[in-house]
Amino acid sequence: MQSTSHAFKDNAHGALADERLQKALGKMKVGFQDKRTRAVARLPEFDTLRDQSRDIKNHVLEHLDLYLERFEANVIANGGKVHWCRTPGEARDAIVEICRSVDARIVTKGKSMIAEEIELNDHLEKNGLEPVETDLGEYIIQLRKEAPSHIIAPAVHLNKEDVAESFMKAHDKLDPNRSLEEPRALVNEAREMLRQKFLAADVGITGANFLIAETGSTVIVTNEGNGDLTQTLPKIHIVLASLEKIVPTLEDATTILRVLARSATGQEFSSYTTFSTGPRRPGDLDGPEQFHVVLLDNGRTAMLGTEFQEMLRCIRCGACMNHCPVYGAVGGHAYGWVYPGPMGSVLTPGLIGVQEAGHLPNASTFCGKCESVCPMRIPLPKMMRHWREREYEKKMSPQAFRNGLGIWAWFAKRPDMYRLGSRIAMGVLGMLGRRKGKFRSLPLAGGWTDWRDMPAPEGKTFHQLWAERQQGKASTGAATTASSSSDRKAA
Amino acid sequence: MENKTKTPRVGLFVTCLVDLFRPTVGFAAVKLLEAAGCTVEVPASQTCCGQPAYNSGDRADTKDIARAVIKAFEEFDYVVAPSGSCAGMIKEHYGELFADEPEWAQRAAHLKHRTYELISFLVDVLGIEAVDAEYTGTITYHDSCSGLRELGVKQQPRTLLRSVGGLTLTELPGAEVCCGFGGTFCIKYPEISNKMVGEKTIDIARTGADTLLAGDMGCLLNMAGKLKREGSDIKVRHVAEILADMTRDVPPIGDTRGA
C-alpha cells in the first residue's frame, strides 16, 4: 500500500478528532489487555516459554539459509514448489503466473499481512482476478476499501454500526429492511456471502505463521476456520510468507504456539491451527492439487547482522500494539503503512526506509510496555532508539530540534556554564510564576503550553541552595540542622 | 551489602528537573537518606544523565555526558537519584553506550551496581520500612514507566507511604500506563501526549484522591500541568516530599502557597 507514514502527525491529528475511531479504540484496549493478563496468569511457565521461543528464533536467524534450504527440499519432496522472491514485484508476478496457469477467476484469501505488504489485491484485480478476503475483519475492510488498522484485528477501528452500514451498501441484493443490529446477524450474513465464494474459488491464498524446515509444512492459526476452507477447497493453495517465519522443527512451532495466542487474544490456543504439508496425496479425501510457497524477502535479509536483526523474531501477535498507549490514542491507520504500533515503528523503516517512516520510531514515549509484553522478548524501544540514531547521523531530524538539542548538550557538558545559565533562567521563571504557580503560555514552549500549564519552578536551583547550605555550614561550623528543611528558604 | 557496618557514602544525583524546577525534592532526598544513616554529598560537576541526547539519537553527546557522570560519581558507595528515569539511564543504558569502549564499559558497570532510585534504595538496600511523616489526605500513586519497568519500583513507595500518619492510599486504575510525558516526546508529538495525559487525569479524578504522587519530575510536571489546565484542585507532589515530611515547605507542583 502507498505509505503515508511521513504524514504521521497529520494522520494522528485526524485520528484524535475522529469520535467513532476513539470509541472503537477505547473498547479495544481494555479487551485485549485483560484477556492477555488472565491467560498469562494461568500459565506459570509463560516466561520460560518466552525465553525458549526467543532462543529458537535467535538460532534460526543465525542459520537462516540452512533451514530455508531444508524447508524447500522438503516442500519439493512433498510435491510442492517454493518460489523465492526478493521483492514485492517478484512475489506478485509469481502469484499471478500460478493463477493464470489454471485460468483462475476467483481467488479466496486467508488473512495475510504479507499480501498487504505487496499490495496483492490491487495487483490481482489489475490482472482480471477477483480476490475475496475470507477473514471477517479483512472482508469488512475489503468492502470499505480500507487498509487493516491492526495486524490480527484488521477492522478493530470500526464499530458494529460501521460494519452494518457497509454490509447494507455492499450486499444490495438482500432485503434492505433486514436488521443488522446484532453482531450475530453480521457474522451470519458475511458467512452466507463468503460460502458461495469458497465453493467457486480456483485458487486459495493463505499466509503462514510458521514454516517448518524438517517437514516442509506451513502453519496458520485462525479463529474463524476460513483459512481451512480457503486452502482445501480450490485446486491450488498458495502460501505467501516472509522468510523469517521459518522454524527448524514441529516441536519448535508448538513451543512458540503456546505463547502466540495467549499474547494475541488471550486464548490458550486459537480455534484452528492448521498444518499444510504439500498437495493432496492419492487417497486423501480433500486438499489442493497444487501447493506453492511464495517466499518473500523484501528487505528482511538486509536487517540480518544489523542492530535490527532481533526484529525478525516477531511472530505478529499484536501484543505490542494492544498495550501501546500511542497506538491506543491514534489507532493503526495513523502509522501510515501495513504494520502499526511498536513492531511497525521498528519494522517499517527497515522495509520502506527511514526517510519515509522516520516519524514512527520517534512517536514513542519509551514507556517500555511493548517490550514487557512481547512474547519473543524483542527490545522494541532499544531498536526505535537505533532508528533515531540513524536519523540523527543522517541529519534527518528537524533543524530547530537539532539546534535546541545542540545548545542544551553544550551546556550539559559545561557544569559551570550550565549552573550559571540555569540559575538565571530559573530565577526569572520562578519570579514570573510565583503569583500563579504556573504558566498558561511560555515562549518556545507552545508544544507544552497549548495543552497544559507549565508548573513554575521554585526559583532557586537545587545546586544554588545546596551551595548556600554548605556555605552556611562552613561559616557556623555546625551542621546539626543539615537534614532539616526549615533552615532553608526556598522560592 | 558491603556497607552494613559503616556509614554509606551516597552521591546524590539530583537530576536536572529537580535541580531546575523542584529543589525541595532534592532536599527531601537528602533528608531521607541522612535519616536512614547515610552521609550525602552532591558532586558539583553533575548536570544531567544524558537522556535527552540519548533518546534523540545523539550518541556522541550522550557519551560525553555519561563519562562526566561516571567520573563524578565513581568514588561513592552508592549513587541515588530521586527519579526512576535517570537512575534507569545510568543503571541500564550506560553499559550499552560504551559497548565498544572496554575501559569505559567497565567503569559504567561499576557504577551500575551501585546506582539506585531513591525510594527503592531506602527500602531494598537500607531496609527502611517506615518514615517519620504526617500527611492528612487521600493520595493516589502513578507508577512512572522507567522506574517500574527498568528498575522494578512498585511496592517500595507504597510500603513507605503506608507508614505516613493520616495518609490514605487509594490505587489509581491504570497506574502503570504511561502519562504521555516521554521526554522530548511531549514536545515533538504534543497532541498525542495531550491525549494520553488527558486519559490519565480522568483516571486520577475517578479515584477521588486529593493528592497525586509519583517518583519522577517529568511525569509530575506533565500531570500537574494538565490537571491545572483543567482547573482541578488535586494537589501534585513528588513522593519524597511526603515521605520526608516537607509538604509545608513548598506548595504543590503548579500551585501557589496557600493552595
Tab-separated table of all heavy atoms in Angstrom, chain A residues 341-378:
chain	number	residue	atom	x	y	z
A	341	GLY	N	1.822	0.355	15.325
A	341	GLY	CA	2.241	0.090	16.697
A	341	GLY	C	3.750	-0.051	16.816
A	341	GLY	O	4.496	0.189	15.859
A	342	PRO	N	4.218	-0.484	17.979
A	342	PRO	CA	5.664	-0.569	18.211
A	342	PRO	C	6.404	-1.473	17.226
A	342	PRO	O	7.481	-1.115	16.750
A	342	PRO	CB	5.744	-1.123	19.636
A	342	PRO	CG	4.491	-0.619	20.292
A	342	PRO	CD	3.447	-0.689	19.227
A	343	MET	N	5.823	-2.647	16.887
A	343	MET	CA	6.564	-3.519	15.957
A	343	MET	C	6.676	-2.840	14.594
A	343	MET	O	7.693	-2.952	13.914
A	343	MET	CB	5.957	-4.915	15.858
A	343	MET	CG	4.498	-5.050	15.453
A	343	MET	SD	4.119	-4.854	13.690
A	343	MET	CE	4.971	-6.237	12.975
A	344	GLY	N	5.642	-2.105	14.217
A	344	GLY	CA	5.695	-1.372	12.955
A	344	GLY	C	6.702	-0.229	13.002
A	344	GLY	O	7.364	0.074	12.006
A	345	SER	N	6.824	0.375	14.171
A	345	SER	CA	7.752	1.505	14.295
A	345	SER	C	9.199	1.061	14.121
A	345	SER	O	10.069	1.860	13.810
A	345	SER	CB	7.575	2.186	15.655
A	345	SER	OG	6.267	2.722	15.739
A	346	VAL	N	9.451	-0.232	14.356
A	346	VAL	CA	10.792	-0.762	14.126
A	346	VAL	C	10.902	-1.354	12.715
A	346	VAL	O	11.863	-1.117	11.994
A	346	VAL	CB	11.157	-1.835	15.180
A	346	VAL	CG1	12.527	-2.439	14.873
A	346	VAL	CG2	11.152	-1.231	16.576
A	347	LEU	N	9.872	-2.114	12.327
A	347	LEU	CA	9.952	-2.842	11.052
A	347	LEU	C	9.774	-1.924	9.828
A	347	LEU	O	10.488	-2.058	8.827
A	347	LEU	CB	8.883	-3.942	11.037
A	347	LEU	CG	8.930	-4.929	9.874
A	347	LEU	CD1	10.245	-5.704	9.864
A	347	LEU	CD2	7.753	-5.906	9.944
A	348	THR	N	8.826	-1.005	9.908
A	348	THR	CA	8.504	-0.191	8.735
A	348	THR	C	9.704	0.592	8.197
A	348	THR	O	9.952	0.572	6.990
A	348	THR	CB	7.310	0.733	9.040
A	348	THR	OG1	6.221	-0.086	9.489
A	348	THR	CG2	6.873	1.515	7.825
A	349	PRO	N	10.481	1.282	9.059
A	349	PRO	CA	11.660	1.966	8.496
A	349	PRO	C	12.620	0.990	7.819
A	349	PRO	O	13.290	1.352	6.852
A	349	PRO	CB	12.324	2.612	9.722
A	349	PRO	CG	11.254	2.678	10.759
A	349	PRO	CD	10.347	1.519	10.505
A	350	GLY	N	12.659	-0.246	8.310
A	350	GLY	CA	13.530	-1.250	7.705
A	350	GLY	C	13.044	-1.668	6.327
A	350	GLY	O	13.836	-1.989	5.454
A	351	LEU	N	11.731	-1.661	6.127
A	351	LEU	CA	11.185	-2.168	4.868
A	351	LEU	C	10.947	-1.071	3.826
A	351	LEU	O	11.109	-1.301	2.635
A	351	LEU	CB	9.873	-2.929	5.126
A	351	LEU	CG	9.964	-4.157	6.056
A	351	LEU	CD1	8.661	-4.937	6.038
A	351	LEU	CD2	11.110	-5.075	5.684
A	352	ILE	N	10.523	0.117	4.277
A	352	ILE	CA	10.262	1.160	3.276
A	352	ILE	C	11.186	2.364	3.431
A	352	ILE	O	11.053	3.348	2.724
A	352	ILE	CB	8.779	1.636	3.300
A	352	ILE	CG1	8.430	2.329	4.618
A	352	ILE	CG2	7.845	0.466	3.031
A	352	ILE	CD1	7.037	2.965	4.612
A	353	GLY	N	12.137	2.275	4.375
A	353	GLY	CA	13.132	3.344	4.503
A	353	GLY	C	12.816	4.295	5.637
A	353	GLY	O	11.663	4.642	5.889
A	354	VAL	N	13.880	4.724	6.295
A	354	VAL	CA	13.716	5.602	7.451
A	354	VAL	C	13.373	7.031	6.992
A	354	VAL	O	12.766	7.810	7.729
A	354	VAL	CB	14.975	5.555	8.356
A	354	VAL	CG1	16.159	6.231	7.696
A	354	VAL	CG2	14.683	6.159	9.716
A	355	GLN	N	13.708	7.331	5.756
A	355	GLN	CA	13.331	8.635	5.197
A	355	GLN	C	11.812	8.794	5.197
A	355	GLN	O	11.272	9.814	5.613
A	355	GLN	CB	13.857	8.724	3.757
A	355	GLN	CG	13.817	10.117	3.140
A	355	GLN	CD	15.008	10.965	3.590
A	355	GLN	OE1	16.118	10.434	3.713
A	355	GLN	NE2	14.790	12.239	3.857
A	356	GLU	N	11.127	7.738	4.749
A	356	GLU	CA	9.664	7.768	4.670
A	356	GLU	C	9.007	7.571	6.035
A	356	GLU	O	8.015	8.205	6.352
A	356	GLU	CB	9.197	6.668	3.694
A	356	GLU	CG	7.705	6.399	3.677
A	356	GLU	CD	6.855	7.567	3.166
A	356	GLU	OE1	7.395	8.416	2.435
A	356	GLU	OE2	5.658	7.629	3.532
A	357	ALA	N	9.595	6.681	6.842
A	357	ALA	CA	8.921	6.261	8.072
A	357	ALA	C	9.583	6.810	9.329
A	357	ALA	O	9.394	6.305	10.426
A	357	ALA	CB	8.871	4.738	8.129
A	358	GLY	N	10.363	7.881	9.167
A	358	GLY	CA	11.154	8.415	10.278
A	358	GLY	C	10.354	8.816	11.505
A	358	GLY	O	10.859	8.758	12.630
A	359	HIS	N	9.115	9.238	11.305
A	359	HIS	CA	8.304	9.623	12.456
A	359	HIS	C	8.073	8.457	13.419
A	359	HIS	O	8.017	8.646	14.636
A	359	HIS	CB	6.916	10.098	11.992
A	359	HIS	CG	6.830	11.577	11.796
A	359	HIS	ND1	7.074	12.464	12.826
A	359	HIS	CD2	6.514	12.333	10.715
A	359	HIS	CE1	6.909	13.700	12.370
A	359	HIS	NE2	6.590	13.648	11.086
A	360	LEU	N	7.867	7.271	12.837
A	360	LEU	CA	7.348	6.170	13.642
A	360	LEU	C	8.214	5.836	14.853
A	360	LEU	O	7.701	5.759	15.963
A	360	LEU	CB	7.083	4.931	12.775
A	360	LEU	CG	6.220	5.171	11.526
A	360	LEU	CD1	5.872	3.845	10.859
A	360	LEU	CD2	4.945	5.937	11.854
A	361	PRO	N	9.542	5.641	14.675
A	361	PRO	CA	10.334	5.332	15.872
A	361	PRO	C	10.466	6.523	16.825
A	361	PRO	O	10.875	6.348	17.977
A	361	PRO	CB	11.702	4.934	15.304
A	361	PRO	CG	11.730	5.457	13.918
A	361	PRO	CD	10.324	5.511	13.438
A	362	ASN	N	10.092	7.710	16.377
A	362	ASN	CA	10.122	8.866	17.280
A	362	ASN	C	8.847	8.996	18.091
A	362	ASN	O	8.855	9.584	19.173
A	362	ASN	CB	10.359	10.147	16.483
A	362	ASN	CG	11.818	10.308	16.098
A	362	ASN	OD1	12.641	10.680	16.917
A	362	ASN	ND2	12.147	9.970	14.858
A	363	ALA	N	7.764	8.485	17.539
A	363	ALA	CA	6.473	8.646	18.203
A	363	ALA	C	6.282	7.598	19.289
A	363	ALA	O	5.344	6.808	19.269
A	363	ALA	CB	5.352	8.569	17.178
A	364	SER	N	7.209	7.576	20.218
A	364	SER	CA	7.134	6.642	21.343
A	364	SER	C	7.645	7.341	22.584
A	364	SER	O	8.614	8.103	22.517
A	364	SER	CB	8.005	5.413	21.061
A	364	SER	OG	8.272	4.719	22.269
A	365	THR	N	6.994	7.080	23.718
A	365	THR	CA	7.494	7.657	24.971
A	365	THR	C	8.563	6.769	25.596
A	365	THR	O	9.074	7.085	26.663
A	365	THR	CB	6.354	7.816	25.997
A	365	THR	OG1	5.854	6.523	26.332
A	365	THR	CG2	5.229	8.679	25.457
A	366	PHE	N	8.880	5.643	24.951
A	366	PHE	CA	9.785	4.645	25.534
A	366	PHE	C	9.262	4.169	26.887
A	366	PHE	O	10.039	3.966	27.825
A	366	PHE	CB	11.208	5.205	25.690
A	366	PHE	CG	11.964	5.296	24.396
A	366	PHE	CD1	13.081	6.114	24.277
A	366	PHE	CD2	11.577	4.558	23.294
A	366	PHE	CE1	13.783	6.208	23.092
A	366	PHE	CE2	12.271	4.634	22.092
A	366	PHE	CZ	13.387	5.473	21.997
A	367	CYS	N	7.962	4.004	26.987
A	367	CYS	CA	7.404	3.562	28.270
A	367	CYS	C	7.748	2.105	28.544
A	367	CYS	O	7.684	1.654	29.672
A	367	CYS	CB	5.895	3.789	28.324
A	367	CYS	SG	4.875	2.551	27.492
A	368	GLY	N	8.103	1.377	27.481
A	368	GLY	CA	8.606	0.020	27.686
A	368	GLY	C	7.541	-1.052	27.831
A	368	GLY	O	7.844	-2.230	28.005
A	369	LYS	N	6.276	-0.653	27.740
A	369	LYS	CA	5.203	-1.636	27.916
A	369	LYS	C	5.252	-2.693	26.816
A	369	LYS	O	5.035	-3.878	27.058
A	369	LYS	CB	3.842	-0.917	27.916
A	369	LYS	CG	2.665	-1.802	28.218
A	369	LYS	CD	2.626	-2.244	29.671
A	369	LYS	CE	1.571	-3.317	29.898
A	369	LYS	NZ	1.589	-3.814	31.270
A	370	CYS	N	5.557	-2.280	25.585
A	370	CYS	CA	5.582	-3.218	24.464
A	370	CYS	C	6.597	-4.328	24.708
A	370	CYS	O	6.294	-5.511	24.558
A	370	CYS	CB	5.884	-2.485	23.154
A	370	CYS	SG	7.334	-1.406	23.191
A	371	GLU	N	7.794	-3.931	25.113
A	371	GLU	CA	8.833	-4.937	25.357
A	371	GLU	C	8.417	-5.868	26.496
A	371	GLU	O	8.697	-7.061	26.470
A	371	GLU	CB	10.162	-4.242	25.691
A	371	GLU	CG	11.302	-5.222	25.903
A	371	GLU	CD	12.648	-4.541	26.148
A	371	GLU	OE1	12.716	-3.299	26.051
A	371	GLU	OE2	13.618	-5.264	26.441
A	372	SER	N	7.719	-5.305	27.482
A	372	SER	CA	7.357	-6.112	28.643
A	372	SER	C	6.314	-7.171	28.304
A	372	SER	O	6.190	-8.157	29.020
A	372	SER	CB	6.871	-5.222	29.792
A	372	SER	OG	5.552	-4.780	29.566
A	373	VAL	N	5.557	-6.985	27.232
A	373	VAL	CA	4.560	-7.999	26.869
A	373	VAL	C	4.954	-8.810	25.634
A	373	VAL	O	4.289	-9.789	25.300
A	373	VAL	CB	3.154	-7.380	26.619
A	373	VAL	CG1	2.606	-6.753	27.896
A	373	VAL	CG2	3.184	-6.364	25.484
A	374	CYS	N	6.022	-8.450	24.970
A	374	CYS	CA	6.406	-9.151	23.738
A	374	CYS	C	6.783	-10.603	24.050
A	374	CYS	O	7.689	-10.857	24.830
A	374	CYS	CB	7.597	-8.460	23.069
A	374	CYS	SG	8.195	-9.368	21.622
A	375	PRO	N	6.083	-11.564	23.437
A	375	PRO	CA	6.375	-12.971	23.750
A	375	PRO	C	7.763	-13.387	23.272
A	375	PRO	O	8.321	-14.349	23.785
A	375	PRO	CB	5.284	-13.734	23.002
A	375	PRO	CG	4.849	-12.822	21.910
A	375	PRO	CD	4.996	-11.432	22.457
A	376	MET	N	8.311	-12.649	22.296
A	376	MET	CA	9.615	-13.010	21.759
A	376	MET	C	10.728	-12.151	22.363
A	376	MET	O	11.867	-12.182	21.911
A	376	MET	CB	9.622	-12.858	20.233
A	376	MET	CG	8.517	-13.636	19.525
A	376	MET	SD	8.506	-15.388	19.940
A	376	MET	CE	9.946	-15.946	19.036
A	377	ARG	N	10.364	-11.363	23.384
A	377	ARG	CA	11.315	-10.504	24.095
A	377	ARG	C	12.138	-9.627	23.136
A	377	ARG	O	13.362	-9.527	23.239
A	377	ARG	CB	12.258	-11.341	24.960
A	377	ARG	CG	11.537	-12.109	26.081
A	377	ARG	CD	12.535	-12.526	27.145
A	377	ARG	NE	11.986	-13.428	28.138
A	377	ARG	CZ	11.216	-13.045	29.162
A	377	ARG	NH1	10.890	-11.773	29.319
A	377	ARG	NH2	10.778	-13.936	30.033
A	378	ILE	N	11.445	-9.004	22.209
A	378	ILE	CA	12.126	-8.104	21.277
A	378	ILE	C	12.288	-6.746	21.961
A	378	ILE	O	11.310	-6.178	22.440
A	378	ILE	CB	11.317	-7.963	19.973
A	378	ILE	CG1	11.176	-9.330	19.292
A	378	ILE	CG2	11.974	-6.946	19.026
A	378	ILE	CD1	10.229	-9.349	18.114
